[in-house]
Amino acid sequence: GKGGRLDVDLKQVNPADLAGFSSLFSPLSALSLPVDAELGFELGMDGTPARGEVNIRLKDGVVSLSERRFGVSRFELDLETDLPAQSITLKKGRINVDGVGVRFAGTADFTLTPEGDIDVVTARVDGRKIDINVPSFLPAPIRNARADLGLTFLGDTNRLVVNTGRLSVQNEKAALSGDIDFSDGLPKFGLTVSFDTLARETAFNLWPVKIGQLTRKWVNENISGGRIEAASIALNAGLDELVSRKKGDPMREEALTLKMQFSDISIRPLRHLPPVKNANAGFILRGTSFQADLSDGQMMLSDPNNAEADRTVEMMTGKLEVADYRAQGVPSVVSFDAS
């Protein structure tokens, strides 16, 4: 009746087995690979764990998700828990999976159901040194990104909600919103990253390499100058769709949306036309389509036989639409309203 202490040293254990020790470890059940774990708890007067430390380690392993194998070079978690106070301190976390690495720390408070399962977890997580080097997905590595996240995990729906999200990516500030649904086992992402301003180089580094390759080429060749005043990337797809799609299969139209708002650009809508200068443009790239809406530009129409006949046309509005950007050729719909 005087309490005591419990220390457990586990070698090559499946993370899913830790859920039998406490429901707080149930999110680790997605990892089917052996880890080393050290658990140390002070025991309450009734013999149940009260306060303690949890250290989980893995180096050089493989995890299989949706028929694809991901290399795990590092997985570390150092936690302090106070079960009576229903609080957790994540002292240090480090993960490197298939070219994506992050170091993080944070705090969390939780409530349990009468049955002892997770009810609600509210957390604040500070992610540092986020490195992404996946050439098959992004054209250039992302180094030293940061994330300050306010999260809520809802146990009844098995859903992680981003309440607040502040990101720093290549010195650009962004906001993260949305949720991740774990109810069917593999995660389904409903996330949006929004930028107030964005450098052109950063925008193209965040443009997935297999999405709209012909559109990317057209934008590079026919748009110059200007600024990106706002941009967003929205992902609405499950992990299964992202990693198991057969080569050549298009992504769903709603699965990915990339938006960019340009100002003061020079754009050549068609090869045989002169460029529209000082224009504003809104671009929307979706799973299979591309659209550009133009406004407030000028086009210089020249007469090769009479330079004095050159005149400037004020561009009121314009639109380019490509129903399937995988197809070769010019945009399928081009329209202008000029004076």
Side-chain angles (χ1 to χ4, degrees), residues 183-195:
S183 59
D184 292 333
L186 292 175
K188 293 181 179 179
F189 302 97
L191 299 173
T192 300
V193 179
S194 303
F195 296 84

Side-chain angles (χ1 to χ4, degrees), residues 106-123:
T107 59
D109 298 306
F110 63 89
T111 59
L112 302 177
T113 66
E115 295 76 22
D117 297 324
I118 294 178
D119 183 19
V120 177
V121 180
T122 57

Side-chain angles (χ1 to χ4, degrees), residues 45-308:
M45 300 299 290
D46 59 356
T48 59
R51 285 166 290 276
E53 310 84 37
V54 178
N55 302 311
I56 301 174
R57 298 282 184 275
L58 167 74
K59 189 174 182 180
D60 299 329
V62 175
V63 61
S64 295
L65 293 173
S66 187
E67 301 180 356
R68 178 172 173 183
R69 293 163 65 85
F70 296 87
V72 181
S73 59
R74 187 180 297 273
F75 182 87
E76 299 178 359
L77 290 177
D78 289 346
L79 308 172
E80 289 183 350
T81 65
D82 189 332
L83 300 183
Q86 297 187 321
S87 67
I88 299 173
T89 299
L90 175 57
K91 298 169 59 179
K92 182 176 67 175
R94 189 173 180 182
I95 297 175
N96 195 310
V97 179
D98 212 31
V100 179
V102 58
R103 299 180 184 181
F104 54 95
T107 59
D109 298 306
F110 63 89
T111 59
L112 302 177
T113 66
E115 295 76 22
D117 297 324
I118 294 178
D119 183 19
V120 177
V121 180
T122 57
R124 171 69 65 181
V125 178
D126 181 16
R128 306 178 183 181
K129 288 189 67 64
I130 302 173
D131 296 332
I132 303 175
N133 187 10
V134 185
S136 62
F137 182 64
L138 294 177
I142 294 175
R143 304 293 188 193
N144 293 320
R146 294 197 61 169
D148 182 9
L149 306 176
L151 308 171
T152 298
F153 180 78
L154 304 173
D156 59 341
T157 57
N158 216 11
R159 192 163 57 97
L160 182 67
V161 180
V162 181
N163 300 316
T164 59
R166 295 190 295 272
L167 309 179
S168 175
V169 182
Q170 297 183 198
N171 297 319
E172 306 278 1
K173 304 299 182 182
L176 175 68
S177 60
D179 63 18
I180 305 175
D181 187 347
F182 296 91
S183 59
D184 292 333
L186 292 175
K188 293 181 179 179
F189 302 97
L191 299 173
T192 300
V193 179
S194 303
F195 296 84
D196 289 333
T197 61
L198 190 62
R200 184 186 180 96
E201 180 183 1
T202 303
F204 279 90
N205 285 346
L206 296 176
W207 188 326
V209 295
K210 295 183 179 179
I211 303 299
Q213 294 172 327
L214 294 176
T215 300
R216 176 199 293 270
K217 183 175 183 294
W218 182 86
V219 170
N220 268 325
E221 292 176 350
N222 294 281
I223 296 178
S224 60
R227 302 176 303 278
I228 301 177
E229 302 287 359
S232 67
I233 304 171
L235 178 63
N236 290 284
L239 180 64
D240 181 67
E241 179 179 1
L242 296 175
V243 304
S244 299
R245 200 161 36 94
K246 294 181 180 179
K247 185 176 182 180
D249 285 353
M251 183 172 283
R252 285 185 305 109
E253 180 74 347
E254 302 81 10
L256 180 72
T257 304
L258 173 63
K259 296 181 179 181
M260 290 183 284
Q261 185 65 44
F262 290 84
S263 65
D264 198 25
I265 62 170
S266 174
I267 178 172
R268 187 184 297 272
L270 294 174
R271 186 176 301 175
H272 64 277
L273 289 178
V276 179
K277 297 183 178 181
N278 306 314
N280 298 323
F283 289 2
I284 302 178
L285 177 75
R286 296 188 176 92
T288 57
S289 68
F290 172 71
Q291 176 179 322
D293 294 298
L294 311 179
S295 64
D296 304 327
Q298 297 86 40
M299 180 185 293
M300 178 66 71
L301 298 181
S302 301
D303 185 342
N305 300 316
N306 184 3
E308 295 182 358

Side-chain angles (χ1 to χ4, degrees), residues 7-65:
D7 290 290
V8 180
D9 189 1
L10 303 173
K11 299 293 184 184
Q12 301 292 289
V13 65
N14 192 314
D17 296 333
L18 295 176
F21 183 81
S22 171
S23 64
L24 294 175
F25 298 127
S26 57
L28 297 177
S29 60
L31 299 173
S32 298
L33 67 170
V35 299
D36 296 338
E38 298 176 358
L39 295 83
F41 282 91
E42 298 176 6
L43 301 179
M45 300 299 290
D46 59 356
T48 59
R51 285 166 290 276
E53 310 84 37
V54 178
N55 302 311
I56 301 174
R57 298 282 184 275
L58 167 74
K59 189 174 182 180
D60 299 329
V62 175
V63 61
S64 295
L65 293 173

